[in-house]
Amino acid sequence: VRGKYTRSNHALLFDTLGYRFTVNDWHFQQLFSYGAVRHGTAIYSKIPLLATGVVPFTNRQYPEAIVWADVLLNQKRVRIITVHFRSMNLNGHNTYKSIPFNQFVHQDSAIIMSRNILNKLIYYQQEHSYQAEMLRGFIDTCRYPVVLAADLNTVPAQHTYRLVRGTLRD
């Protein structure tokens, strides 16, 4: 959370709610007068993590990654996976106007800043397909049951959603 009354999401989860075990992938950090704001993907758990990892997407122009952790549930090892697929920013051309990180999205700022929703859908469908294929490949290598909790930035009717879901149950 950022703004005038900034609170730490980490402190809330870790200290207040007792999620003492964590794995994260901080993509970048912004510095403000009230402190640093880190952006990324994370798993917080009250159950000890047996193993953890971060698998960056090979297209590092967009710094997202697959984050995973193994836990023991009812004497059975289970892999928890989370990921955030690239946001489409369909809510307008000035989405990032007040956020000083345009340098991180420079390579595709024409698409991001565009008002043309059709162009965005075409562009991000390709990005999401790439991310979905990589995530599906990672899931297929897991030797344990998988729980996937992710923001795929898509709908169940989309190819990318169905590709990632594979034989997993909603």
Side-chain angles (χ1 to χ4, degrees):
V1 178
R2 58 183 154 150
K4 187 175 180 181
Y5 303 104
T6 301
R7 299 181 299 277
S8 170
N9 294 339
H10 175 75
L12 172 67
L13 291 164
F14 190 87
D15 299 329
T16 307
L17 299 178
Y19 290 88
R20 303 265 183 221
F21 306 98
T22 183
V23 57
N24 54 57
D25 175 48
W26 302 120
H27 311 323
F28 64 93
Q29 177 173 287
Q30 293 174 278
L31 298 176
F32 294 92
S33 59
Y34 51 81
V37 175
R38 291 185 296 181
H39 300 264
T41 305
I43 295 174
Y44 284 82
S45 175
K46 291 184 178 182
I47 302 168
L49 305 178
L50 304 173
T52 63
V54 173
V55 180
F57 287 112
T58 53
N59 176 1
R60 292 301 283 173
Q61 290 178 339
Y62 183 65
E64 291 277 10
I66 300 165
V67 178
W68 63 270
D70 291 349
V71 297
L72 200 58
L73 294 176
N74 298 326
Q75 308 305 318
K76 191 174 188 180
R77 192 170 187 147
V78 175
R79 177 151 298 166
I80 310 297
I81 301 172
T82 191
V83 68
H84 173 260
F85 279 8
R86 195 164 189 183
S87 296
M88 290 189 272
N89 306 299
L90 296 178
N91 56 336
H93 70 286
N94 61 352
T95 303
Y96 295 119
K97 188 175 182 180
S98 63
I99 302 175
F101 65 85
N102 283 343
Q103 68 270 21
F104 292 103
V105 294
H106 177 73
Q107 76 281 353
D108 55 8
S109 60
I111 295 290
I112 288 176
M113 302 305 265
S114 170
R115 292 178 191 241
N116 188 322
I117 291 176
L118 183 57
N119 282 348
K120 286 183 180 186
L121 290 173
I122 292 167
Y123 177 83
Y124 286 107
Q125 180 61 37
Q126 293 171 350
E127 289 290 311
H128 289 170
S129 291
Y130 156 75
Q131 290 178 307
E133 288 172 10
M134 189 166 169
L135 176 58
R136 181 76 251 161
F138 177 75
I139 291 170
D140 289 343
T141 67
C142 295
R143 299 184 319 226
Y144 312 111
V146 168
V147 174
L148 174 65
D151 178 354
L152 301 178
N153 274 307
T154 191
V155 297
Q158 286 286 344
H159 163 75
T160 53
Y161 181 92
R162 292 190 317 270
L163 175 62
V164 168
R165 185 186 67 211
T167 59
L168 298 175
R169 291 182 305 176
D170 287 332

